[in-house]
Amino acid sequence: MAMNPAGHPAEAVPMQGRYDGLPGQPGAATVVQYTTVNITSEPPQDHIIWSLCCFVYSNPCCLGLAALIFSIKARDRKVAGDLNGARHYGSTARCLNIWATVLGSIMILISFIVIIVMSVQAHNAVNRYSSYNYNTRWRK
């Protein structure tokens, strides 16, 4: 007896209708074996935590809000049993989260660079001004 991958015996079901074999052979019933395959795929992810972080901490161009909305839709679809819809909304939320994270990181990096350059320029200007006043005051 044949076994399927899940360990259950395979079912033998005769085909309905007439089967004409090779010429000269009488018609015979054909046996088709059906096996049940237990596909264990992981449930679709909704990325709700990542979406909340993007919404709260880095929300450039409202991408964090859009990602949060798609994450909630993915969770609703998963609860309703529509796994394909949940996968679609989850992948859209993941894409929006990636863009929000990248754009937010770039904005933070540019902000740090601007602050450092401005503080260095201000420090240099203060040093030039103070040394200029000190030198001109004592020359007279």
Side-chain angles (χ1 to χ4, degrees), residues 39-116:
I39 299 174
T40 56
S41 64
E42 55 188 61
Q45 295 183 357
D46 53 12
H47 306 286
I48 192 81
I49 302 296
W50 190 9
S51 297
L52 281 170
C53 290
C54 285
F55 176 67
V56 172
Y57 295 113
S58 64
N59 195 12
C61 304
C62 293
L63 289 175
L65 177 63
L68 182 62
I69 290 170
F70 276 97
S71 294
I72 292 170
K73 284 183 178 185
R75 182 163 284 191
D76 289 345
R77 292 285 90 207
K78 186 167 43 171
V79 169
D82 181 14
L83 296 181
N84 287 332
R87 281 188 190 93
H88 173 71
Y89 285 126
S91 67
T92 304
R94 184 184 66 228
C95 183
L96 290 171
N97 281 326
I98 289 170
W99 278 104
T101 302
V102 168
L103 289 176
S105 299
I106 289 172
M107 287 174 28
I108 290 170
L109 182 66
I110 289 173
S111 298
F112 280 144
I113 291 171
V114 166
I115 288 171
I116 290 170

Side-chain angles (χ1 to χ4, degrees), residues 18-38:
R18 188 161 184 258
Y19 171 74
D20 292 328
L22 296 173
Q25 292 182 347
T30 303
V31 176
V32 177
Q33 289 186 350
Y34 292 103
T35 59
T36 56
V37 178
N38 188 7

